[in-house]
Amino acid sequence: MNSPEAGIPDANKHRRYVPNSLLFQWHVTDRCNLRCAHCYQQERTGEDLPFHDLLRILGQFTDLLDHWRVQCGRTVRGHVTVTGGEPFVRPDFPDLLDVLATQRRRFSFAILTNGTLIDASMARRLRKLRPSFVQVSIEGGESTHDTIRGAGSFARTVAAIEILVQQGIRTFISFTAHRGNFQEFEHVARLGRRLGVTRVWADRLIPQGSGSALK
């Protein structure tokens, strides 16, 4: 015998899942000015998508957010984290940030960078654009960091952090832990406190690309 509900469509079966928020981590280039020993990048094509293609991709992201709002009655807050490679190697990267800043009603945005290409002028521009945060990588003390990321990179990265903090930009330090540096996390945490950053956190090694040699 069929139940009284037999033949009645199950509304839940066809209900579309709509998230409360959507994170888009956007690798806008494979290129980088450093060659880090733990990098998970497997290939560097040296060819960036044209700027108009970046705008097209961003349009797809905003269209999806708008679709959920109009068709599903749900306002989904978006967030775009822009990275690379090293995003600041693109000459048009500041122009992309300008576009992201105009979409603040739909989504927030942040930047992941090695910090070595951020100077005082760029930091002032970032202050006006108001990213949610700028995350910069430190891998240990100066000797360890430079061994992993290249000679002189520690000094340039610390200088960038100081400039960002001076401009009132929320600045994070990311530490990628592996056998060769994990004991120096406390040093990085103390450095972050001295520099006045908002957050210091440890990530895990991804044993791919250059990082496969460290697994």
Side-chain angles (χ1 to χ4, degrees), residues 21-202:
S21 61
L22 181 65
L23 167 63
F24 175 24
Q25 181 155 317
W26 197 1
H27 295 249
V28 296
T29 183
D30 289 337
R31 294 184 296 133
C32 187
N33 61 319
L34 301 181
R35 292 293 181 267
C36 302
H38 63 341
C39 183
Y40 57 76
Q41 194 88 12
Q42 300 197 46
E43 296 181 2
R44 293 180 174 87
T45 64
E47 298 180 3
D48 293 337
L49 285 177
F51 190 75
H52 64 81
D53 281 341
L54 296 185
L55 297 182
R56 177 178 55 82
I57 292 168
L58 184 61
Q60 293 173 349
F61 180 68
T62 56
D63 286 348
L64 178 58
L65 297 177
D66 290 344
H67 169 79
W68 280 329
R69 177 177 56 82
V70 175
Q71 300 297 326
C72 304
R74 173 78 68 82
T75 297
V76 177
R77 182 65 177 170
H79 178 79
V80 179
T81 299
V82 194
T83 183
E86 169 51 49
F88 283 98
V89 301
R90 288 191 63 128
D92 58 6
F93 183 54
D95 298 325
L96 180 62
L97 296 179
D98 287 340
V99 175
L100 294 176
T102 66
Q103 299 291 328
R104 201 177 309 278
R105 179 178 60 84
R106 289 187 174 101
F107 57 79
S108 54
F109 73 95
I111 304 164
L112 309 186
T113 174
N114 61 43
T116 60
L117 301 179
I118 296 177
D119 57 14
S121 175
M122 179 57 65
R124 288 192 294 270
R125 184 166 182 174
L126 292 175
R127 181 188 62 188
K128 295 177 181 178
L129 296 174
R130 296 187 293 125
S132 295
F133 61 87
V134 175
Q135 178 178 293
V136 181
S137 297
I138 294 285
E139 310 301 349
E142 182 169 8
S143 175
T144 299
H145 180 97
D146 283 0
T147 297
I148 293 171
R149 290 186 168 259
S153 60
F154 180 86
R156 286 181 287 161
T157 299
V158 169
I161 293 172
E162 291 174 334
I163 293 169
L164 291 168
V165 171
Q166 288 170 3
Q167 292 297 324
I169 298 167
R170 296 181 74 229
T171 306
F172 297 175
I173 289 178
S174 173
F175 173 89
T176 302
H178 55 80
R179 274 194 310 245
N181 72 339
F182 75 94
Q183 293 179 323
E184 297 189 35
F185 180 66
E186 181 180 357
H187 174 86
V188 174
R190 292 181 182 276
L191 175 66
R193 174 174 289 180
R194 178 173 65 81
L195 295 175
V197 303
T198 305
R199 177 179 298 171
V200 178
W201 71 290

Side-chain angles (χ1 to χ4, degrees), residues 1-12:
M1 180 180 295
N2 292 332
S3 67
E5 291 80 14
I8 299 177
D10 182 357
N12 292 325

